[in-house]
Amino acid sequence: MTFLRQTFIVFRRQLRMNLRNPAWVIIGMVQPVLYLALFGPLLEPLVAQFGATNAYTFFVPGLLVQLGIFGAMFAGFSLIAEWREGVVEAERVTPASRTALLMGRMARDVLQLLVQALILIGLGYAFGMRGSLTGMLLGLALTLLIGSACAASSNAIALTTKSEDVMAPLLNMVMMPILLLSGILLPMTIGPAWLQLVSDVIPVKHIVDAVRSSFAGNLAVSAILWGTVWSLVLFGLAVWWGTRVFRKENA
């Protein structure tokens, strides 16, 4: 079997599991939609201070990155259940590539993220968002890339901890600083200098800036370059880590 066929077999099985519960998209969309409906209007009188002219063109890109990170980072919980039921061990005794076992699951998570992102962009337009079509496609691509990285990392964490009780607080501990310091909700430029300095070392902050710039149509800026570079670096590291964990004898 080729690598692509192995990946597709794993992806098809994972997708069938999700489609048995049609609420899988709705549940993942609840939090971003609530942010869009309840937090977005609060930004409208403040958006000029951020150097933007449209509150939703500024806000939706941040929500996209939040959706990509927070939604994908919880993908590993289903893998823990599969490990407990012996599914992972059964897959490991097959000749399937360990990378295919990871990529098949990632493909399912990316498809879910794509559907949710398109819904969010559509709702953003309904609320008044306007942006560059080319820029939005680039922003969507960066979102899917960071979402893939988070899905791979989540699977690696799941097989390392093998416990929801350990994984949940670990993710919360990691993701809370990311949410507060990456500028997803509010730009870090309105914060004190020391806080901006701290946020500059968080890669997600540069990705948020890149997606935000792309939606605004500002494609020839350094933020796009740095956001793309960080997305690719995080994706490469996450896939390497996830594949390594799947290859472990005691995984």
Side-chain angles (χ1 to χ4, degrees), residues 3 6 79 88-89 91-103 105 155-156 159-160 162 239-251:
F3 172 78
Q6 293 168 0
L79 184 59
V88 175
E89 189 61 31
E91 290 178 338
R92 283 173 47 79
V93 299
T94 68
S97 164
R98 300 299 181 257
T99 306
L101 298 180
L102 173 67
M103 296 299 287
R105 289 175 166 85
N155 283 316
L159 280 186
T160 301
K162 299 184 178 70
V239 171
W240 170 81
W241 182 27
T243 302
R244 185 172 180 270
V245 172
F246 266 94
R247 285 175 177 165
K248 278 188 175 182
E249 290 298 326
N250 61 348

Side-chain angles (χ1 to χ4, degrees), residues 23-195:
W24 61 283
V25 174
I26 299 174
I27 293 175
M29 280 295 303
V30 168
Q31 186 179 24
V33 169
L34 288 178
Y35 272 119
L36 189 66
L38 302 180
F39 194 76
L42 298 177
L43 289 178
E44 293 192 44
L46 305 174
V47 71
Q49 302 179 29
F50 308 153
T53 57
N54 185 297
Y56 291 98
T57 304
F58 173 87
F59 192 42
V60 170
L63 287 183
L64 276 178
V65 178
Q66 179 188 1
L67 184 65
I69 294 175
F70 286 72
M73 282 300 287
F74 285 94
F77 283 97
S78 63
L79 184 59
I80 294 178
E82 288 186 291
W83 170 81
R84 190 174 292 119
E85 295 170 359
V87 174
V88 175
E89 189 61 31
E91 290 178 338
R92 283 173 47 79
V93 299
T94 68
S97 164
R98 300 299 181 257
T99 306
L101 298 180
L102 173 67
M103 296 299 287
R105 289 175 166 85
M106 283 175 53
R108 181 274 315 270
D109 299 327
V110 170
L111 177 60
Q112 177 175 333
L113 175 59
L114 175 61
V115 173
Q116 294 169 340
L118 292 176
I119 293 174
L120 183 59
I121 292 174
L123 289 174
Y125 257 93
F127 277 92
M129 180 188 76
R130 296 296 179 266
S132 161
L133 177 59
T134 302
M136 285 191 290
L137 291 176
L138 175 59
L140 181 59
L142 292 177
T143 299
L144 296 179
L145 202 57
I146 188 60
S148 300
C150 290
S153 300
S154 181
N155 283 316
I157 294 172
L159 280 186
T160 301
T161 62
K162 299 184 178 70
S163 169
E164 295 90 347
D165 294 334
V166 176
M167 185 173 176
L170 178 62
L171 291 182
N172 287 331
M173 181 180 67
V174 171
M175 291 192 297
M176 184 56 67
I178 292 177
L179 176 64
L180 297 177
L181 296 175
S182 62
I184 286 176
L185 299 179
L186 294 172
M188 299 309 299
T189 53
I190 66 175
W194 69 267
L195 198 59

